[in-house]
Every structure is written in structure tokens, then in C-alpha cells.
Amino acid sequence: MLQNTVLPWLARWIGPKTALFMVTVVWGGTFVVVKFGITLSSPMFFVACRFLMASLVIGILSFESLRRTTKADLIAAIAIGLSITAGYGSQTVGLQYITSSESAFITALYVPLVPFILFLVFKKIPHYMTCIGALVAFMGLVVLSGGGSSSQSMNFGHIITALSTIALAIEIILISHFAPSVNLKNVTILQLFFAAVFAFISMPIVGETAFPDFSWALVGIIGGLSLASACIQLTMNWAQRSVESSTAAIIYAGEPVWAGIIGRIAGERLHAVAMLGGVFVVLGLLISEYRPRLRKRSVDSL
């Protein structure tokens, strides 16, 4: 249903790249919502419920399609689901210690990580601009964590959020790798479901031994985030069939900017030094994807 109606409509009216841009706006806004949500719940339980409900939202609309799930769909969903749990789980834990704006800027470091992981796995040598951009982005991380509003030095929240970027970079690569050869609708549903399962399994491992008290506010937050997560994952999987992972990564670089804007509207105030660090991070992301064209001298000019 979604793949046969909504997605073609998106293709005609806005196109895959614009759809990914819209994803960054929604994605940026989720940081503030999650920051508030984990005041009512433990992190991994929050992540588990968020993705379980998201999988149910799409699953109810696409139940018939799930009956035709293939082994390839399952393998893709499990791999992507595991990376989602690791990435979003670590990020959510980190939000207990840092602001949503800090989290968003640090999370954006997965962009220059994509080509480096591609190098480690597929031996694709990263462009020299990627290396320069990664260095600038890392400098931004150091400045950001040293001048943030939540602390004057790098704390546990900064570190675990930085580590989450590895899993998020792997997610981007896996989506691009599997998208051309699987049923996107089935994989989207199942990857969210497996992300929820892995998050529930991880609860006792990270010390979450009790469920939070029931709260209608928590139900509303999880419900809203679940719908957003379903739309984000479905759009990412669809759009990245025609948008390369490196191009998708640069589009996603706008996400921390939106998170910073929305965080400021919500009342967060980053220290000026931390804001400078955030600027360096975004600048590093843009540099990492810039490919200068060398001008060839005309024979006639010699």
C-alpha cells in the first residue's frame, strides 16, 4: 500500500533528495522530544517501545506483503536492525548527560565515517577531502565537548554519543547495500521490529531491571516518535535506492542544524564555544563531501 501509493507520489512531487532533506528536519526535531522522553523512561526501554510501535504502524498497513518475506529480507532486516539498536540506543543513553543540541552535532560525525568504514570493509580509498573534512569535524567535536553547556570537559555522554556514530554510519551503508535487492517495505517493517527486540534484550545487560511507571505523556511521546521513525526509515530505504550513500550522507548533514534551531526554540542555550564547535562539525561534513574539479589547461593557451 505505502510502496504503491505514497512513495510514487513522493517521487513525482518532491523527488528522493528532497524527501531525504525533509527527513533531516523531522530527525532534528526528535532529539528534543527524546531528551524529554527519557525523563519518564529508561533509555533502552524507550528505544524498544519506539521502534516496536513504529514497526506495528507500518506492519498493520502492509500485513499481506510480510507473507512474502524472503531470506534476503530477513538477513537485511536483522543486520540493519542491530545497527539501529546500537546507534539509537547509545545516542539515547548519551542524552541523559548532554543537551539535545550537543547530541545532534556529535551524532552528525557519522557522515565522514561512512567512507572510512567503506575503506575498511570494501577497500575503497577515501577521497583526500574526506580526510580533511573528518579532521575538521573531529576538531569541532573536541571544541563542542569542551565548551558545552552541560560540562566543561568531555564526559560519558559525549563519549557514548560519539561511539553511536559508528553504528549509524554502518546503518547508512547497509541500507544502500541491501536496498536494490530486497523488498523495501518488508525490510523496513522487520528492521524496526528487530531493533525493538534487540533493545528489549539489551535492557538487563545495561542494568535496566524494571519498567517505568505508566504515563500518558510517555505513551504520547513514544507514539509520535514511532510514527516519525516509521516515516524516516521508510523514506530512507526508498530514497537511497536512487541516491548514493555519500550523497545521502551530505544531505543528512543538515540534521544537526535543525536540531540546534529546534533545541534553541525549546529553551536550550549552548555556550558560544560549543556553538563554534558545532559550526566546525557541520563545516567538516560539507568539506568531507566536496569534490573540487581540476581545471585542465587548454592546448591553445600554451
Side-chain angles (χ1 to χ4, degrees):
M1 179 178 177
L2 288 172
Q3 192 171 0
N4 294 329
T5 56
V6 177
L7 298 185
W9 182 87
L10 284 172
R12 289 195 303 270
W13 290 98
I14 63 176
K17 291 182 181 179
T18 306
L20 290 181
F21 170 78
M22 293 174 65
V23 161
T24 66
V25 180
V26 177
W27 204 350
T30 62
F31 283 85
V32 173
V33 179
V34 173
K35 177 72 175 177
F36 177 72
I38 57 177
T39 63
L40 306 172
S41 170
S42 57
M44 297 312 297
F45 178 79
F46 186 89
V47 170
C49 291
R50 172 183 179 179
F51 289 118
L52 178 60
M53 192 173 293
S55 67
L56 292 176
V57 169
I58 306 179
I60 291 174
L61 298 175
S62 310
F63 180 75
E64 287 298 320
S65 178
L66 286 174
R67 299 174 63 179
R68 298 186 296 273
T69 299
T70 66
K71 182 179 179 181
D73 294 342
L74 281 174
I75 293 174
I78 291 173
I80 298 173
L82 184 59
S83 65
I84 290 174
T85 301
Y88 282 86
S90 300
Q91 180 192 88
T92 304
V93 171
L95 272 168
Q96 295 178 111
Y97 307 93
I98 59 178
T99 67
S100 64
S101 299
E102 286 177 302
S103 177
F105 280 116
I106 295 173
T107 299
L109 290 173
Y110 73 83
V111 175
L113 274 180
V114 169
F116 285 106
I117 295 177
L118 285 172
F119 169 70
L120 293 175
V121 178
F122 300 107
K123 305 304 179 184
K124 295 183 178 180
I125 300 176
H127 194 276
Y128 71 91
M129 291 301 294
T130 298
C131 299
I132 296 174
L135 178 61
V136 174
F138 179 75
M139 290 170 55
L141 170 61
V142 173
V143 175
L144 176 64
S145 60
S149 59
S150 62
S151 68
Q152 293 302 312
S153 61
M154 183 172 287
N155 61 27
F156 175 75
H158 295 116
I159 294 171
I160 194 168
T161 304
L163 290 175
S164 74
T165 62
I166 299 175
L168 294 174
I170 292 174
E171 178 196 353
I172 299 299
I173 294 170
L174 288 175
I175 289 174
S176 291
H177 175 73
F178 288 115
S181 59
V182 297
N183 184 309
L184 287 177
K185 186 160 48 176
N186 291 348
V187 171
T188 300
I189 299 167
L190 293 173
Q191 74 186 34
L192 293 171
F193 173 75
F194 282 118
V197 171
F198 292 138
F200 277 124
I201 292 174
S202 69
M203 284 180 62
I205 299 175
V206 298
E208 296 183 18
T209 57
F211 295 109
D213 295 332
F214 178 82
S215 166
W216 281 113
L218 180 59
V219 172
I221 290 172
I222 291 177
L225 281 174
S226 298
L227 182 59
S229 297
C231 294
I232 287 172
Q233 293 298 322
L234 189 63
T235 303
M236 286 173 65
N237 285 12
W238 163 69
Q240 284 191 228
R241 295 188 72 171
S242 54
V243 179
E244 295 182 356
S245 58
S246 58
T247 302
I250 192 60
I251 295 174
Y252 297 150
E255 171 266 324
V257 177
W258 288 109
I261 293 172
I262 296 171
R264 187 168 183 82
I265 293 174
E268 290 186 353
R269 295 293 183 270
L270 283 181
H271 190 277
V273 177
M275 285 296 295
L276 178 61
V279 170
F280 269 98
V281 169
V282 175
L283 180 61
L285 308 184
L286 297 174
I287 291 175
S288 69
E289 296 299 328
Y290 177 63
R291 299 294 181 265
R293 294 182 179 180
L294 298 178
R295 293 184 179 180
K296 294 182 180 180
R297 296 178 62 185
S298 174
V299 174
D300 297 333
S301 66
L302 295 178

